[in-house]
Amino acid sequence: MITASEIRQKAERRYTDFLKYKINCYLNGKTDDEAFFPLYIKADKGKANDDLQKYEQEITPLYEQSKNKTGTSYTLEFEEIKTRNYGYQQKLKNILFENEEDYLSFIKKKAETKNLTTALEILKTQIFLSDTELTDWALAHTQDLTADRSEETDFWKNICLCANWLHENQKSDLYIREIPLSVHTKFIETNKALIHSFFSTDSSADFEAKHGLKQKPYLVRFRSLGETPLTIGNLSVSELSLPLQDFIHLDKSECLQHIQTILIVENELVYLTFPKMKNALCIWGHGFTVTMLKHCEWLHSYRILYFGDLDEHGFQILSDFRIHFPQTESFCMDMKTLQEFAQFCCKGKALSGNSIPQNLSNEERAVFNELRNNTERNRLEQERITVNYIQGKLHCCPINSPNSQITRGNLT
């Protein structure tokens, strides 16, 4: 015979269906099929000819936790059956929850359901969605609706304020902090995914771009590797950070006056400790954001060296960068470097779909394949490569020599 614990498990499995029923009732005044209650629990209720003593031992704890005894819980319905061995006996016929109160009390979900109805009451009158759109949204966001928001005053009202404002001001070009609402900036930052969900089912990544808000400027950090410092008017500095929108006009400044080579380095510490190079500028690329430099047309006039991690993603970045600047050479991303520091190789992530970067030289492709074929040791982080080794590479790769390694012809 079923136990009270098993009834609870079966009842909890129906909770998602109950929430959908509740949403449809609240927003549309109807249900998908029929009324949710009474909710019957399918179970082994025993047989008429079961041993009487064993039957009583099993039914007693079930009865003690039922509504029949406690006043609120599952209800046990009995029927009188004539048995061969014991005459007329009361046997269990049905297990059911008669109403919402009994059901929610038993599975301890009254507070969660109250959270849902409170949220729906606000959303129904204050969000910009139509009733149909709101119903679809609610059915897909039951976890958001049942969550405890008691620590945040007027949580759902503020969510509506933010979503409605973004709906009405789709190209504001304001920072989040500048949005003229009574909610604090942190509230919007914390609840980007929820606010965005009223507009789309896709990711809330690039929230600002998707909602016409001003994004934090992408800062390009760069330093001089030569003896000549960077010059800004009467000020001479060794390092600068500029918003991308300003960096793309760097050729109009004096900073590039003596520069012949542009070196792009992925890791920050490698960038900071990169050895001296005459007439060279070093840019901290930090991952795929290096492709943001595609807007810098003046880069076409310089020799470019790219120094990334020796892994699949590092070569993908190199390939992507060459789409815009095909003269780019890789630095310390060759087979000799990989073999020299093989002991430091570790497990890295493969490219999505096992794709293969297109814009690689023959040697770079050989290194890429070597990494791909060794799934347990397919990543050599560039900070594992010593400064002395880098200096040796620079000695073999003089900065004033013409770029003979990479041309459009041998990129296939």
Side-chain angles (χ1 to χ4, degrees), residues 14 38 42 44 59 70 79 92 94 133 167 266 291 310 334 392:
R14 294 299 307 276
K42 294 182 179 180
D44 173 17
I59 199 67
T70 66
E79 60 180 343
L92 182 60
N94 290 310
E133 290 171 334
H167 177 66
E266 184 173 340
T291 54
L310 278 79
D334 50 54

Side-chain angles (χ1 to χ4, degrees), residues 263 274 305-308 329-333 390 393-394 397:
L263 180 78
F274 202 87
L305 303 179
Y306 176 73
F307 183 16
E329 303 174 53
S330 61
F331 180 79
C332 282
M333 298 178 72
I390 292 173
K393 278 286 188 179
L394 291 176
C397 182

Side-chain angles (χ1 to χ4, degrees), residues 59-122:
I59 199 67
T60 297
L62 198 62
Y63 179 82
E64 291 295 320
Q65 297 185 52
S66 70
K67 183 177 181 178
N68 311 59
K69 179 67 179 289
T70 66
T72 176
S73 183
Y74 55 84
T75 296
L76 302 180
E77 288 186 346
F78 293 90
E79 60 180 343
E80 191 172 64
I81 296 177
K82 184 178 181 180
T83 66
R84 178 181 302 177
N85 297 325
Y86 308 109
Y88 286 97
Q89 296 291 328
Q90 291 289 323
K91 292 290 185 177
L92 182 60
K93 180 181 179 182
N94 290 310
I95 304 171
L96 67 145
F97 292 95
E98 295 182 285
N99 52 53
E100 182 178 312
E101 172 70 21
D102 293 341
Y103 175 65
L104 295 178
S105 296
F106 181 69
I107 63 173
K108 296 179 171 52
K109 296 291 187 180
K110 292 179 68 174
E112 281 193 9
T113 305
K114 177 64 176 175
N115 293 338
L116 177 136
T117 56
T118 299
L120 290 179
E121 183 177 356
I122 296 170

Side-chain angles (χ1 to χ4, degrees), residues 148-167:
D148 181 11
R149 311 290 186 180
S150 58
E151 293 185 1
E152 188 79 52
T153 305
D154 294 328
F155 177 85
W156 285 105
K157 289 182 180 180
N158 289 336
I159 289 291
C160 290
L161 276 176
C162 297
N164 290 339
W165 190 91
L166 291 173
H167 177 66

Side-chain angles (χ1 to χ4, degrees), residues 313-326:
H313 290 275
F315 282 102
Q316 182 65 66
I317 296 170
L318 172 63
S319 175
D320 291 346
F321 195 67
R322 279 190 179 138
I323 294 174
H324 308 287
F325 304 102

Side-chain angles (χ1 to χ4, degrees), residues 200-216:
S200 174
T201 57
D202 66 5
S203 168
S204 61
D206 298 325
F207 179 87
E208 286 82 358
K210 291 176 180 178
H211 295 284
L213 297 167
K214 187 177 291 185
Q215 297 174 277
K216 296 176 183 177

